[in-house]
Amino acid sequence: MSVARQVVVEADGGSRGNPGPAGYGAVVIDPATGEPLAEAAEYIGVATNNVAEYRGLIAGLEAAKALFPDAGEALRVHVRMDSKLVVEQMSGRWKIKHPDMKPLAARAAAILPPSSVTYEWIPRAQNKHADRLANEAMDAGREGRQWEASASTAALDAPAAAPAPDALFSLADEPAESGGEPTDAHPAPQQSAGTPQTGWGAAPDLGAPATLVLLRHGETALTPEKRFSGSGGTDPELSAVGRGQAERAAGHFAALGTVQEIVSSPLRRCRETAAAVAARLGLDVRIDESLRETDFGAWEGLTFGEVRERYGDDLTAWLASPDTAPTGGGESFAQVAERVAAARDRLVARYAGRTVLLVTHVTPIKTFVRLALGAPPEALFRMELSAASISTVAYYGDGNASVRLLNDTSHLR
């Protein structure tokens, strides 16, 4: 009969961008002495915080099993992590909705018998060893090298005294933390102490940004004919081509595993596009009126040539000034910019540290990008934006924005 062996696994993961350069760290600890028995860390390329956290858990469990390969069910592992999402999901108290998290959770659960592993949520300040390992791995990746255990300084953050083993292993049936909702965000880890930052990295660590992924809706019957299609006329549905584009976009985002929330314009073509993505990701769609397309007034449904023929003077004035509205009481670009800026501020505050998909239209997307770049209004006429294209803008805690992607259609090929 095997003698029971008890160990503690502390694990963490982080992403500098969410998604961004990511890494994980894990340490196996003797609960009686607090001595680190094994460390693991790895730079994993571009990934989300949650992916990195799950990878850290997997590495920690595998390291514990490797230390005592013959222990079998006599091995008892107590996992301590500051990711409430991972702890609650692995404890079975929260459902795993994101399709990219399910295989990671299944992989972690298969390493040891479920009865051998218990989970505890701890504050980040109590997870310094694993956090330091994750940061060392990310630092190594930034420098184009692999993390090496021999160069690690993570043990400097290990606790001076270990908690009593009995206290750790009596938590199997206790909730990690009462209340709260699952979250896919984990603050970007702080830079390792003593690690110099150079170039653009010399700025202070502002944590994970609010990342707005801007998806233009799929084609409608009006799209190939380049007709004005705003919010003041008909509300066309997606065409067969547009529905196919929406499905390909949905597959793209499911494969990435980065989108945590979905917000859509109220217009039908956007709601249908958003619904296709939401169905693949298992997410709900929130409607935001501010994401609607420009009201083009009397120009709705017309081509540019038809507007030139019928309303030539009005079109010339509209092209010359962002304060001029289309014929018949439409919206000026200045008015659109005002509501988009207000929506941006609300969204950035609401989704700080998270990645949200905004399904919207040409003018709002171009406006998000223009405002992020500090470009003049005429920049709107200098951007190409294809149906079902993806653009991305990240907003940091100091108010600065970073345009990361514009008019990407690679997922449609």
Side-chain angles (χ1 to χ4, degrees), residues 54 85 88-89 92-98 101-102 182:
Y54 262 110
L85 179 114
E88 294 297 317
Q89 287 181 344
R93 291 186 285 268
W94 284 355
K95 292 183 179 180
I96 305 173
K97 296 182 179 180
H98 199 293
M101 296 300 106
K102 292 179 180 179

Side-chain angles (χ1 to χ4, degrees), residues 30-94:
D30 184 326
T33 65
E35 176 189 1
L37 303 176
E39 291 181 334
E42 183 182 4
Y43 172 70
I44 59 174
V46 175
T48 63
N49 285 321
N50 293 149
V51 167
E53 288 163 343
Y54 262 110
R55 290 287 300 274
L57 169 63
I58 291 168
L61 292 174
E62 289 179 339
K65 183 177 181 179
L67 283 171
F68 308 102
D70 299 325
E73 294 188 1
L75 178 62
R76 296 288 185 268
V77 179
H78 184 68
V79 176
R80 293 158 49 91
M81 297 181 69
D82 60 69
S83 171
K84 186 172 177 64
L85 179 114
V86 174
V87 167
E88 294 297 317
Q89 287 181 344
M90 291 303 298
S91 298
R93 291 186 285 268
W94 284 355

